[in-house]
Protein backbone atom coordinates (compact mmCIF):
# COMPACT_ATOMS: atom_id res chain seq x y z
CA UNK A 1 0.00 0.00 0.00
CA UNK A 2 1.45 3.36 -0.92
CA UNK A 3 -1.33 5.71 0.17
CA UNK A 4 -2.33 5.69 3.83
CA UNK A 5 -6.00 5.37 4.54
CA UNK A 6 -6.59 9.06 5.03
CA UNK A 7 -10.36 9.36 4.87
CA UNK A 8 -12.19 11.21 2.18
CA UNK A 9 -11.53 14.88 3.00
CA UNK A 10 -10.57 16.65 -0.16
CA UNK A 11 -11.70 19.06 -2.77
CA UNK A 12 -12.27 17.00 -5.90
CA UNK A 13 -12.95 13.58 -7.36
CA UNK A 14 -10.08 12.22 -9.47
CA UNK A 15 -11.13 10.08 -12.43
CA UNK A 16 -8.09 8.31 -13.86
CA UNK A 17 -8.42 6.83 -17.36
CA UNK A 18 -6.55 3.57 -17.70
CA UNK A 19 -8.69 1.43 -20.01
CA UNK A 20 -6.47 1.85 -23.08
CA UNK A 21 -4.77 -1.22 -24.56
CA UNK A 22 -1.33 0.28 -24.78
CA UNK A 23 -0.54 -1.93 -27.78
CA UNK A 24 2.57 0.06 -28.66
CA UNK A 25 4.22 -1.10 -25.43
CA UNK A 26 4.23 -4.66 -26.86
CA UNK A 27 3.76 -6.03 -23.39
CA UNK A 28 1.65 -8.53 -21.53
CA UNK A 29 1.63 -6.05 -18.65
CA UNK A 30 -1.04 -3.33 -18.93
CA UNK A 31 0.57 -0.05 -19.90
CA UNK A 32 -0.32 1.84 -16.71
CA UNK A 33 1.41 -0.82 -14.59
CA UNK A 34 4.77 -0.17 -16.22
CA UNK A 35 7.02 1.52 -13.72
CA UNK A 36 8.79 4.84 -13.37
CA UNK A 37 11.36 4.89 -10.55
CA UNK A 38 10.09 1.57 -9.24
CA UNK A 39 6.43 2.57 -8.96
CA UNK A 40 3.69 2.03 -11.52
CA UNK A 41 2.69 5.00 -13.66
CA UNK A 42 -0.84 4.58 -12.34
CA UNK A 43 0.32 4.77 -8.70
CA UNK A 44 2.31 7.93 -9.49
CA UNK A 45 -0.87 9.55 -10.80
CA UNK A 46 -2.96 8.32 -7.86
CA UNK A 47 -0.44 9.55 -5.30
CA UNK A 48 -0.17 12.95 -7.00
CA UNK A 49 -3.96 13.27 -7.15
CA UNK A 50 -4.20 12.64 -3.41
CA UNK A 51 -1.36 15.10 -2.76
CA UNK A 52 -3.30 17.72 -4.73
CA UNK A 53 -6.36 17.18 -2.54
CA UNK A 54 -8.41 14.47 -4.23
CA UNK A 55 -11.14 13.26 -1.88
CA UNK A 56 -11.30 9.99 -3.71
CA UNK A 57 -10.01 8.39 -6.88
CA UNK A 58 -11.92 6.34 -9.43
CA UNK A 59 -9.89 4.43 -12.00
CA UNK A 60 -11.52 3.55 -15.32
CA UNK A 61 -10.39 0.09 -16.44
CA UNK A 62 -11.17 -2.30 -19.27
CA UNK A 63 -12.90 -5.63 -18.57
CA UNK A 64 -9.68 -7.65 -18.91
CA UNK A 65 -7.69 -5.55 -16.44
CA UNK A 66 -8.11 -7.54 -13.21
CA UNK A 67 -4.47 -6.87 -12.42
CA UNK A 68 -5.00 -3.11 -12.71
CA UNK A 69 -7.99 -3.30 -10.37
CA UNK A 70 -5.98 -5.28 -7.80
CA UNK A 71 -3.15 -2.77 -8.09
CA UNK A 72 -5.52 0.16 -7.47
CA UNK A 73 -6.85 -1.48 -4.31
CA UNK A 74 -3.33 -2.14 -3.10
CA UNK A 75 -2.19 1.43 -3.83
CA UNK A 76 -5.07 3.33 -2.23
CA UNK A 77 -7.70 1.58 -0.11
CA UNK A 78 -10.04 4.55 -0.62
CA UNK A 79 -9.87 4.32 -4.41
CA UNK A 80 -12.44 2.50 -6.50
CA UNK A 81 -12.45 1.13 -10.02
CA UNK A 82 -15.09 1.04 -12.72
CA UNK A 83 -15.17 -0.95 -15.92
CA UNK A 84 -15.57 0.66 -19.33
CA UNK A 85 -16.91 -2.30 -21.31
CA UNK A 86 -16.09 -0.96 -24.75
CA UNK A 87 -13.82 1.93 -25.54
CA UNK A 88 -15.67 4.66 -27.33
CA UNK A 89 -13.53 7.63 -26.40
CA UNK A 90 -12.44 9.74 -23.47
CA UNK A 91 -15.88 11.24 -22.64
CA UNK A 92 -17.37 7.75 -22.79
CA UNK A 93 -14.60 6.55 -20.45
CA UNK A 94 -15.34 9.27 -17.90
CA UNK A 95 -19.05 8.45 -18.06
CA UNK A 96 -18.34 4.91 -16.89
CA UNK A 97 -17.76 6.63 -13.54
CA UNK A 98 -21.13 8.47 -13.75
CA UNK A 99 -22.43 6.94 -10.51
CA UNK A 100 -19.31 7.99 -8.59
CA UNK A 101 -19.46 11.49 -10.10
CA UNK A 102 -23.13 11.79 -9.15
CA UNK A 103 -22.48 10.63 -5.59
CA UNK A 104 -19.36 12.73 -4.98
CA UNK A 105 -20.95 16.13 -5.63
CA UNK A 106 -17.43 17.45 -6.10
CA UNK A 107 -15.52 18.95 -9.01
CA UNK A 108 -14.17 16.20 -11.27
CA UNK A 109 -10.57 16.09 -12.45
CA UNK A 110 -9.86 13.70 -15.31
CA UNK A 111 -6.33 12.33 -15.40
CA UNK A 112 -4.56 9.75 -17.56
CA UNK A 113 -2.91 6.73 -16.00
CA UNK A 114 -0.12 6.94 -18.58
CA UNK A 115 0.86 10.55 -17.78
CA UNK A 116 2.75 10.07 -14.51
CA UNK A 117 4.84 13.22 -14.12
CA UNK A 118 2.09 15.75 -13.62
CA UNK A 119 2.67 17.93 -10.57
CA UNK A 120 0.26 18.28 -7.66
CA UNK A 121 0.43 22.10 -7.90
CA UNK A 122 -0.83 21.92 -11.49
CA UNK A 123 -3.77 19.77 -10.43
CA UNK A 124 -4.69 22.06 -7.53
CA UNK A 125 -4.40 25.09 -9.82
CA UNK A 126 -6.76 23.41 -12.29
CA UNK A 127 -9.33 22.65 -9.59
CA UNK A 128 -9.02 26.18 -8.21
CA UNK A 129 -9.76 27.62 -11.65
CA UNK A 130 -13.25 26.11 -11.57
CA UNK A 131 -15.68 28.68 -10.28
CA UNK A 132 -19.23 29.86 -10.84
CA UNK A 133 -19.08 30.55 -14.53
CA UNK A 134 -16.05 28.41 -15.32
CA UNK A 135 -17.38 24.90 -15.89
CA UNK A 136 -14.34 23.42 -17.59
CA UNK A 137 -10.62 23.74 -17.10
CA UNK A 138 -7.99 22.17 -19.30
CA UNK A 139 -4.28 21.72 -18.53
CA UNK A 140 -2.47 22.95 -21.65
CA UNK A 141 1.15 23.01 -22.75
CA UNK A 142 3.31 24.30 -25.60
CA UNK A 143 4.18 21.22 -27.64
CA UNK A 144 7.51 20.95 -29.40
CA UNK A 145 5.73 18.70 -31.91
CA UNK A 146 1.95 19.08 -31.68
CA UNK A 147 1.13 16.15 -34.00
CA UNK A 148 -1.66 13.94 -32.60
CA UNK A 149 -2.54 16.28 -29.74
CA UNK A 150 -5.79 18.19 -29.44
CA UNK A 151 -5.15 21.89 -30.20
CA UNK A 152 -6.35 24.54 -27.76
CA UNK A 153 -8.06 27.37 -29.56
CA UNK A 154 -8.03 30.28 -27.14
CA UNK A 155 -9.34 33.77 -27.33
CA UNK A 156 -8.12 37.01 -25.90
CA UNK A 157 -10.09 37.52 -22.68
CA UNK A 158 -9.23 36.01 -19.34
CA UNK A 159 -11.40 35.13 -16.37
CA UNK A 160 -11.42 36.91 -13.01
CA UNK A 161 -8.38 34.98 -11.83
CA UNK A 162 -6.47 35.68 -15.04
CA UNK A 163 -6.86 32.26 -16.67
CA UNK A 164 -6.84 32.20 -20.45
CA UNK A 165 -10.27 31.48 -21.89
CA UNK A 166 -10.68 28.55 -24.17
CA UNK A 167 -12.96 28.59 -27.17
CA UNK A 168 -12.71 25.05 -28.41
CA UNK A 169 -10.43 22.03 -28.60
CA UNK A 170 -9.93 20.48 -31.99
CA UNK A 171 -8.49 17.00 -32.27
CA UNK A 172 -5.61 16.52 -34.69
CA UNK A 173 -7.70 14.26 -36.95
CA UNK A 174 -10.41 16.89 -37.23
CA UNK A 175 -8.20 19.97 -37.51
CA UNK A 176 -7.75 22.24 -40.52
CA UNK A 177 -4.24 23.11 -41.72
CA UNK A 178 -4.46 26.45 -39.88
CA UNK A 179 -5.56 24.73 -36.67
CA UNK A 180 -2.76 22.19 -36.98
CA UNK A 181 -0.29 25.08 -36.93
CA UNK A 182 -1.35 25.79 -33.33
CA UNK A 183 1.21 24.43 -30.85
CA UNK A 184 -0.75 25.05 -27.63
CA UNK A 185 -2.08 21.57 -26.85
CA UNK A 186 -4.36 19.60 -24.57
CA UNK A 187 -2.46 17.50 -22.00
CA UNK A 188 -5.64 15.47 -21.54
CA UNK A 189 -6.14 16.66 -17.97
CA UNK A 190 -9.57 18.21 -17.80
CA UNK A 191 -11.50 19.55 -14.81
CA UNK A 192 -15.29 19.86 -14.61
CA UNK A 193 -17.33 21.92 -12.14
CA UNK A 194 -19.39 19.61 -9.88
CA UNK A 195 -22.91 20.42 -11.04
CA UNK A 196 -21.90 20.85 -14.69
CA UNK A 197 -19.92 17.61 -15.04
CA UNK A 198 -22.60 15.03 -15.87
CA UNK A 199 -24.77 17.27 -18.08
CA UNK A 200 -21.69 18.32 -20.10
CA UNK A 201 -20.45 14.73 -20.49
CA UNK A 202 -23.87 13.43 -21.48
CA UNK A 203 -24.22 16.10 -24.15
CA UNK A 204 -21.08 14.93 -26.01
CA UNK A 205 -21.75 13.20 -29.35
CA UNK A 206 -19.50 11.06 -31.55
CA UNK A 207 -19.87 13.14 -34.68
CA UNK A 208 -16.18 13.43 -35.61
CA UNK A 209 -13.35 11.88 -37.61
CA UNK A 210 -12.83 8.95 -35.22
CA UNK A 211 -16.50 8.37 -34.37
CA UNK A 212 -15.56 8.65 -30.66
CA UNK A 213 -17.03 10.55 -27.72
CA UNK A 214 -14.40 13.21 -27.19
CA UNK A 215 -14.00 14.58 -23.68
CA UNK A 216 -12.59 17.69 -25.31
CA UNK A 217 -16.06 18.55 -26.62
CA UNK A 218 -17.12 19.65 -23.12
CA UNK A 219 -15.36 22.94 -23.87
CA UNK A 220 -17.80 23.85 -26.61
CA UNK A 221 -20.62 22.47 -24.49
CA UNK A 222 -19.78 24.84 -21.64
CA UNK A 223 -19.57 27.81 -23.98
CA UNK A 224 -22.93 26.91 -25.54
CA UNK A 225 -24.36 27.09 -22.01
CA UNK A 226 -22.89 30.57 -21.65
CA UNK A 227 -20.14 29.33 -19.32
CA UNK A 228 -16.39 29.66 -19.60
CA UNK A 229 -13.61 27.17 -20.14
CA UNK A 230 -10.21 28.06 -18.70
CA UNK A 231 -6.68 26.85 -19.37
CA UNK A 232 -3.96 26.20 -16.81
CA UNK A 233 -0.52 25.87 -18.36
CA UNK A 234 2.04 23.18 -17.57
CA UNK A 235 5.50 22.33 -18.87
CA UNK A 236 5.55 19.76 -21.65
CA UNK A 237 7.86 17.49 -19.65
CA UNK A 238 5.33 17.33 -16.81
CA UNK A 239 2.48 16.16 -19.03
CA UNK A 240 4.35 13.76 -21.26
CA UNK A 241 2.35 10.60 -21.90
CA UNK A 242 3.81 7.14 -22.40
CA UNK A 243 2.80 5.05 -25.41
CA UNK A 244 5.99 3.10 -26.08
CA UNK A 245 9.06 1.75 -24.32
CA UNK A 246 11.10 4.63 -25.72
CA UNK A 247 8.70 7.13 -24.17
CA UNK A 248 8.78 5.16 -20.91
CA UNK A 249 12.55 5.65 -20.88
CA UNK A 250 12.20 9.37 -21.64
CA UNK A 251 9.73 9.86 -18.82
CA UNK A 252 12.00 7.87 -16.47
CA UNK A 253 14.88 10.18 -17.41
CA UNK A 254 12.78 13.28 -16.72
CA UNK A 255 11.68 11.88 -13.35
CA UNK A 256 15.27 11.01 -12.42
CA UNK A 257 16.59 14.43 -13.41
CA UNK A 258 13.88 16.15 -11.40
CA UNK A 259 14.43 14.06 -8.28
CA UNK A 260 18.23 14.31 -8.40
CA UNK A 261 17.95 18.08 -8.28
CA UNK A 262 15.58 17.84 -5.29
CA UNK A 263 17.96 15.44 -3.53
CA UNK A 264 20.97 17.70 -4.16
CA UNK A 265 18.98 20.72 -3.01
CA UNK A 266 18.30 18.90 0.26
CA UNK A 267 22.04 18.73 0.96
CA UNK A 268 23.30 15.59 -0.76
CA UNK A 269 26.44 15.61 -2.92
CA UNK A 270 26.40 13.64 -6.16
CA UNK A 271 29.69 13.48 -8.02
CA UNK A 272 28.05 12.47 -11.31
CA UNK A 273 24.30 12.96 -10.84
CA UNK A 274 23.37 11.69 -14.31
CA UNK A 275 24.69 8.24 -13.42
CA UNK A 276 22.72 7.85 -10.17
CA UNK A 277 19.35 6.08 -10.30
CA UNK A 278 16.87 6.85 -7.54
CA UNK A 279 13.60 5.13 -6.64
CA UNK A 280 10.30 6.85 -5.92
CA UNK A 281 10.78 6.37 -2.15
CA UNK A 282 14.56 6.74 -1.74
CA UNK A 283 15.30 8.74 1.41
CA UNK A 284 18.73 10.30 1.71
CA UNK A 285 19.70 12.58 4.60
CA UNK A 286 21.93 15.61 4.20
CA UNK A 287 25.70 15.40 3.83
CA UNK A 288 25.56 12.04 2.18
CA UNK A 289 28.04 11.76 -0.69
CA UNK A 290 27.06 9.60 -3.65
CA UNK A 291 29.78 8.58 -6.06
CA UNK A 292 29.07 7.72 -9.73
CA UNK A 293 26.85 4.83 -10.87
CA UNK A 294 25.00 4.11 -7.66
CA UNK A 295 21.59 2.43 -8.07
CA UNK A 296 18.72 2.67 -5.58
CA UNK A 297 15.92 0.15 -5.95
CA UNK A 298 12.83 0.90 -3.79
CA UNK A 299 12.90 0.99 0.00
CA UNK A 300 16.29 2.51 0.75
CA UNK A 301 17.06 5.01 3.51
CA UNK A 302 20.44 6.59 4.07
CA UNK A 303 21.37 8.53 7.17
CA UNK A 304 23.46 11.68 7.32
CA UNK A 305 27.15 11.66 6.47
CA UNK A 306 27.25 8.28 4.75
CA UNK A 307 29.48 7.85 1.72
CA UNK A 308 28.13 5.62 -1.03
CA UNK A 309 30.98 4.62 -3.25
CA UNK A 310 30.80 4.00 -6.97
CA UNK A 311 28.94 1.12 -8.63
CA UNK A 312 26.93 0.05 -5.60
CA UNK A 313 23.40 -1.41 -5.74
CA UNK A 314 20.93 -0.99 -2.88
CA UNK A 315 17.48 -2.45 -2.38
CA UNK A 316 15.20 -2.11 0.66
CA UNK A 317 18.19 -1.44 2.89
CA UNK A 318 19.03 1.04 5.63
CA UNK A 319 22.45 2.68 5.72
CA UNK A 320 23.42 4.27 9.02
CA UNK A 321 25.04 7.58 9.81
CA UNK A 322 28.61 8.03 8.52
CA UNK A 323 28.72 4.52 7.06
CA UNK A 324 30.97 3.94 4.04
CA UNK A 325 29.64 1.47 1.50
CA UNK A 326 31.28 0.24 -1.69
CA UNK A 327 32.66 0.60 -4.27
CA UNK A 328 30.87 -2.35 -5.87
CA UNK A 329 28.77 -3.29 -2.86
CA UNK A 330 25.34 -4.85 -3.00
CA UNK A 331 22.85 -4.45 -0.16
CA UNK A 332 19.77 -6.61 -0.51
CA UNK A 333 16.40 -6.37 1.29
CA UNK A 334 16.30 -6.18 5.09
CA UNK A 335 19.90 -5.11 5.46
CA UNK A 336 20.48 -2.59 8.23
CA UNK A 337 23.88 -0.99 8.61
CA UNK A 338 24.53 0.88 11.84
CA UNK A 339 26.58 4.00 12.40
CA UNK A 340 30.08 4.07 10.87
CA UNK A 341 29.79 0.58 9.45
CA UNK A 342 32.22 -0.10 6.64
CA UNK A 343 31.20 -2.34 3.75
CA UNK A 344 33.81 -2.68 1.05
CA UNK A 345 34.14 -3.91 -2.50
CA UNK A 346 32.38 -7.00 -3.80
CA UNK A 347 30.44 -7.54 -0.60
CA UNK A 348 26.83 -8.75 -0.67
CA UNK A 349 24.66 -8.39 2.42
CA UNK A 350 21.10 -9.72 2.74
CA UNK A 351 18.67 -9.62 5.67
CA UNK A 352 21.36 -8.75 8.16
CA UNK A 353 21.87 -6.30 10.98
CA UNK A 354 25.40 -4.97 10.99
CA UNK A 355 25.92 -3.00 14.20
CA UNK A 356 27.83 0.25 14.57
CA UNK A 357 31.51 0.25 13.73
CA UNK A 358 31.56 -3.25 12.25
CA UNK A 359 33.64 -3.85 9.12
CA UNK A 360 32.95 -6.13 6.18
CA UNK A 361 35.63 -4.87 3.89
CA UNK A 362 36.15 -7.27 1.02
CA UNK A 363 34.58 -10.06 -1.01
CA UNK A 364 32.11 -11.40 1.54
CA UNK A 365 28.55 -12.72 1.63
CA UNK A 366 26.64 -11.98 4.82
CA UNK A 367 23.04 -13.25 4.81
CA UNK A 368 20.49 -13.91 7.58
CA UNK A 369 22.92 -12.61 10.15
CA UNK A 370 23.50 -10.34 13.11
CA UNK A 371 26.95 -8.79 13.20
CA UNK A 372 27.85 -7.17 16.54
CA UNK A 373 29.35 -3.77 17.06
CA UNK A 374 33.04 -3.36 16.06
CA UNK A 375 33.19 -6.91 14.69
CA UNK A 376 35.65 -7.46 11.84
CA UNK A 377 34.71 -9.76 9.02
CA UNK A 378 37.77 -10.80 7.03
CA UNK A 379 38.03 -10.95 3.25
CA UNK A 380 36.11 -13.77 1.62
CA UNK A 381 33.98 -14.69 4.64
CA UNK A 382 30.76 -16.50 3.74
CA UNK A 383 27.76 -17.10 5.96
CA UNK A 384 26.45 -20.42 4.65
CA UNK A 385 22.82 -19.62 5.39
CA UNK A 386 21.05 -22.10 3.12
CA UNK A 387 21.11 -25.89 3.32
CA UNK A 388 19.02 -26.41 0.22
CA UNK A 389 15.79 -26.45 2.24
CA UNK A 390 15.73 -23.58 4.73
CA UNK A 391 17.60 -20.44 5.69
CA UNK A 392 19.49 -20.33 8.99
CA UNK A 393 20.90 -17.55 11.08
CA UNK A 394 24.47 -16.58 11.88
CA UNK A 395 25.13 -14.47 14.96
CA UNK A 396 28.49 -12.77 15.31
CA UNK A 397 29.12 -11.12 18.66
CA UNK A 398 30.52 -7.66 19.34
CA UNK A 399 34.26 -7.28 18.56
CA UNK A 400 34.47 -10.79 17.11
CA UNK A 401 37.15 -11.34 14.47
CA UNK A 402 36.43 -13.62 11.55
CA UNK A 403 39.63 -14.56 9.73
CA UNK A 404 39.71 -14.35 5.94
CA UNK A 405 38.22 -17.09 3.82
CA UNK A 406 36.08 -18.55 6.59
CA UNK A 407 32.79 -20.31 6.05
CA UNK A 408 30.29 -19.92 8.91
CA UNK A 409 27.79 -22.74 8.54
CA UNK A 410 24.47 -21.54 9.97
CA UNK A 411 22.83 -21.86 12.39
CA UNK A 412 25.94 -20.81 14.29
CA UNK A 413 26.98 -18.23 16.87
CA UNK A 414 30.37 -16.63 17.33
CA UNK A 415 30.50 -15.23 20.87
CA UNK A 416 31.67 -11.76 21.91
CA UNK A 417 35.35 -11.20 21.15
CA UNK A 418 35.43 -14.67 19.55
CA UNK A 419 38.19 -15.27 16.99
CA UNK A 420 37.96 -17.52 13.97
CA UNK A 421 41.24 -18.51 12.33
CA UNK A 422 41.50 -17.84 8.61
CA UNK A 423 40.24 -20.53 6.32
CA UNK A 424 38.05 -22.18 8.93
CA UNK A 425 34.77 -23.92 8.25
CA UNK A 426 32.83 -23.24 11.44
CA UNK A 427 29.95 -25.62 12.13
CA UNK A 428 29.80 -25.34 15.94
CA UNK A 429 29.27 -22.30 18.14
CA UNK A 430 32.41 -20.42 19.22
CA UNK A 431 32.47 -19.28 22.86
CA UNK A 432 33.06 -15.68 23.87
CA UNK A 433 36.73 -14.80 23.78
CA UNK A 434 37.77 -18.20 22.30
CA UNK A 435 39.80 -19.00 19.19
CA UNK A 436 38.34 -21.52 16.77
CA UNK A 437 40.44 -22.95 13.96
CA UNK A 438 39.26 -25.81 11.80
CA UNK A 439 41.84 -25.94 9.06
CA UNK A 440 44.38 -28.77 8.72
CA UNK A 441 47.61 -28.09 10.66
CA UNK A 442 50.47 -26.76 8.58
CA UNK A 443 53.37 -29.18 7.94
CA UNK A 444 56.86 -28.27 6.80
CA UNK A 445 59.43 -30.54 5.05
CA UNK A 446 62.92 -29.04 5.10
CA UNK A 447 64.87 -29.24 1.81
CA UNK A 448 61.91 -30.80 -0.01
CA UNK A 449 62.12 -28.55 -3.07
CA UNK A 450 65.66 -29.53 -4.03
CA UNK A 451 64.89 -33.26 -3.77
CA UNK A 452 61.72 -32.82 -5.78
CA UNK A 453 63.45 -30.90 -8.57
CA UNK A 454 66.25 -33.48 -8.85
CA UNK A 455 63.77 -36.35 -9.06
CA UNK A 456 61.67 -34.62 -11.68
CA UNK A 457 64.61 -33.65 -13.91
CA UNK A 458 65.87 -37.29 -13.91
CA UNK A 459 62.45 -38.49 -15.02
CA UNK A 460 62.37 -35.87 -17.76
CA UNK A 461 65.87 -36.93 -19.02
CA UNK A 462 64.75 -40.59 -19.31
CA UNK A 463 61.85 -39.56 -21.58
CA UNK A 464 64.10 -37.99 -24.26
C1 LIG B 1 -6.41 12.69 -26.02
C2 LIG B 1 -7.16 14.01 -26.17
C3 LIG B 1 -6.25 15.03 -26.87
C4 LIG B 1 -4.99 15.21 -26.05
C5 LIG B 1 -4.28 13.86 -25.84
C6 LIG B 1 -3.16 14.04 -24.85
C7 LIG B 1 -9.52 13.51 -26.46
C8 LIG B 1 -10.63 13.34 -27.43
N1 LIG B 1 -8.35 13.79 -26.97
O1 LIG B 1 -6.15 12.19 -27.34
O2 LIG B 1 -6.92 16.27 -27.00
O3 LIG B 1 -4.13 16.12 -26.68
O4 LIG B 1 -5.19 12.89 -25.29
O5 LIG B 1 -2.43 12.84 -24.78
O6 LIG B 1 -9.74 13.41 -25.28
N2 LIG B 1 -9.08 5.96 -22.76
C9 LIG B 1 -9.97 5.16 -22.12
N3 LIG B 1 -11.10 4.78 -22.76
C10 LIG B 1 -11.40 5.19 -24.03
C11 LIG B 1 -10.47 6.00 -24.70
C12 LIG B 1 -9.31 6.39 -24.04
O7 LIG B 1 -9.74 4.78 -20.97
O8 LIG B 1 -12.45 4.81 -24.53
C13 LIG B 1 -7.86 6.37 -22.07
C14 LIG B 1 -6.59 5.84 -22.72
O9 LIG B 1 -6.17 4.67 -22.06
C15 LIG B 1 -5.60 6.95 -22.50
C16 LIG B 1 -6.45 8.20 -22.44
O10 LIG B 1 -7.76 7.77 -22.17
O11 LIG B 1 -4.92 6.83 -21.27
C17 LIG B 1 -6.39 9.03 -23.71
O12 LIG B 1 -6.84 8.26 -24.79
P1 LIG B 1 -6.12 8.32 -26.21
O13 LIG B 1 -6.84 7.40 -27.10
O14 LIG B 1 -4.66 8.17 -26.04
O15 LIG B 1 -6.46 9.83 -26.63
P2 LIG B 1 -5.67 10.70 -27.68
O16 LIG B 1 -6.22 10.40 -29.03
O17 LIG B 1 -4.23 10.59 -27.49
MG1 LIG C 1 -2.91 9.28 -26.48
Amino acid sequence: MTIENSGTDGTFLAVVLAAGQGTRMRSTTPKVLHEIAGRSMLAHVMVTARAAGAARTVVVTSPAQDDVRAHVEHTDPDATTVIQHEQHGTAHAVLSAAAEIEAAKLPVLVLYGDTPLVRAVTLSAAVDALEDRTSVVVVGFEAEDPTDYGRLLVHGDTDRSGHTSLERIVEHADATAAERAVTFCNSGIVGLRASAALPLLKAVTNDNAKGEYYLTDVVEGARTNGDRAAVVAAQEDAVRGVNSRAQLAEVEAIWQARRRVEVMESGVTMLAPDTVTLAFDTKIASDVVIEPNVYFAPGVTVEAGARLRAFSYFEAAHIGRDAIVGPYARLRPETRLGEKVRVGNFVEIKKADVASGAKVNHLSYIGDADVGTEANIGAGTITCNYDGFAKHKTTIGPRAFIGSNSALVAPVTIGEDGYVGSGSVVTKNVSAGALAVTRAPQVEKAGWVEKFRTLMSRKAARRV
Side-chain angles (χ1 to χ4, degrees):
M1 192 189 305
T2 57
I3 298 178
E4 294 299 310
N5 194 326
S6 54
T8 51
D9 288 350
T11 55
F12 66 93
L13 175 73
V15 176
V16 182
L17 306 191
Q21 301 287 351
T23 40
R24 283 168 61 197
M25 296 297 285
R26 303 200 190 290
S27 176
T28 52
T29 302
K31 177 165 75 173
V32 295
L33 298 190
H34 283 262
E35 293 182 346
I36 298 295
R39 175 159 75 183
S40 75
M41 293 198 277
L42 181 56
H44 277 277
V45 174
M46 292 174 69
V47 168
T48 306
R50 288 300 283 246
R56 216 167 314 115
T57 303
V58 187
V59 180
V60 178
T61 60
S62 73
Q65 290 175 330
D66 285 336
D67 39 6
V68 174
R69 286 184 284 278
H71 184 71
V72 168
E73 198 176 315
H74 175 77
T75 304
D76 180 356
D78 291 335
T80 50
T81 56
V82 291
I83 296 178
Q84 184 192 18
H85 290 280
E86 282 174 17
Q87 285 163 44
H88 295 306
T90 45
H92 181 259
V94 179
L95 272 174
S96 20
E100 285 71 9
I101 294 171
E102 173 98 66
K105 303 207 178 342
L106 287 170
V108 174
L109 192 62
V110 179
L111 302 160
Y112 290 175
D114 62 3
T115 307
L117 299 181
V118 66
R119 288 179 182 276
V121 284
T122 306
L123 303 187
S124 344
V127 173
D128 289 347
L130 294 168
E131 49 189 19
D132 276 359
R133 302 242 51 96
T134 305
S135 297
V136 175
V137 60
V138 172
V139 174
F141 68 101
E142 274 301 331
E144 203 178 318
D145 173 7
T147 313
D148 288 339
Y149 288 117
R151 309 301 205 280
L152 301 184
L153 308 180
V154 296
H155 60 110
D157 55 329
T158 50
D159 68 8
R160 273 187 281 140
S161 321
H163 297 110
T164 309
S165 288
L166 187 59
E167 184 118 13
R168 198 157 62 86
I169 303 179
V170 59
E171 288 304 294
H172 185 81
D174 301 285
T176 62
E179 288 163 345
R180 285 187 179 180
V182 171
T183 52
F184 195 33
C185 291
N186 173 22
S187 67
I189 298 165
V190 172
L192 301 162
R193 193 162 52 84
S195 58
L198 285 175
L200 283 174
L201 290 164
K202 286 176 179 162
V204 171
T205 67
N206 64 351
D207 180 18
N208 52 51
K210 289 189 184 164
E212 285 187 359
Y213 295 85
Y214 289 167
L215 175 60
T216 45
D217 284 355
V218 295
V219 172
E220 265 186 291
R223 293 183 51 77
T224 308
N225 296 343
D227 287 348
R228 246 177 220 283
V231 181
V232 165
Q235 293 296 312
E236 180 164 19
D237 273 352
V239 293
R240 240 176 242 283
V242 171
N243 297 301
S244 63
R245 306 274 182 165
Q247 288 171 346
L248 186 71
E250 276 172 37
V251 165
E252 174 82 37
I254 296 166
W255 188 96
Q256 292 291 340
R258 219 196 231 183
R259 184 52 64 86
R260 288 181 199 117
V261 169
E262 289 166 2
V263 168
M264 288 188 282
E265 276 171 0
S266 75
V268 171
T269 293
M270 291 189 185
L271 302 189
D274 288 352
T275 68
V276 173
T277 303
L278 300 162
F280 72 97
D281 62 350
T282 308
K283 287 192 185 63
I284 306 175
S286 61
D287 290 323
V288 167
V289 176
I290 304 176
E291 294 184 8
N293 295 294
V294 171
Y295 187 97
F296 295 89
V300 177
T301 50
V302 187
E303 288 189 46
R307 187 165 187 112
L308 309 180
R309 293 195 157 152
F311 294 99
S312 293
Y313 187 107
F314 307 126
E315 182 181 5
H318 175 82
I319 298 169
R321 188 174 274 269
D322 297 325
I324 302 176
V325 184
Y328 302 98
R330 177 167 181 212
L331 302 183
R332 291 172 52 202
E334 295 181 61
T335 293
R336 291 189 62 83
L337 306 186
E339 206 174 307
K340 294 193 173 134
V341 161
R342 178 75 181 90
V343 172
N345 39 241
F346 306 108
V347 169
E348 173 179 338
I349 303 185
K350 186 219 75 165
K351 199 175 182 181
D353 246 304
V354 183
S356 60
K359 293 182 188 148
V360 191
N361 272 337
H362 338 261
L363 300 155
S364 288
Y365 170 67
I366 302 296
D368 302 289
D370 268 347
V371 178
T373 161
E374 309 282 334
N376 185 87
I377 312 295
T381 297
I382 306 288
T383 54
C384 309
N385 56 335
Y386 186 52
D387 56 15
F389 295 91
K391 299 282 168 66
H392 302 282
K393 184 157 181 183
T394 302
T395 304
I396 297 169
R399 298 169 307 280
F401 183 99
I402 312 299
S404 295
N405 198 31
S406 292
L408 308 178
V409 182
V412 71
T413 296
I414 314 299
E416 281 182 41
D417 300 292
Y419 202 108
V420 172
S422 297
S424 294
V425 176
V426 179
T427 52
K428 287 182 276 191
N429 292 347
V430 177
S431 309
L435 165 71
V437 200
T438 71
R439 59 180 184 238
Q442 188 166 326
V443 291
E444 181 163 316
K445 298 188 178 174
W448 179 87
V449 175
E450 209 191 326
K451 285 184 217 155
F452 176 70
R453 284 183 184 157
T454 312
L455 178 73
M456 294 312 272
S457 358
R458 272 194 211 130
K459 277 188 182 169
R462 275 203 296 273
R463 277 201 295 272
V464 223

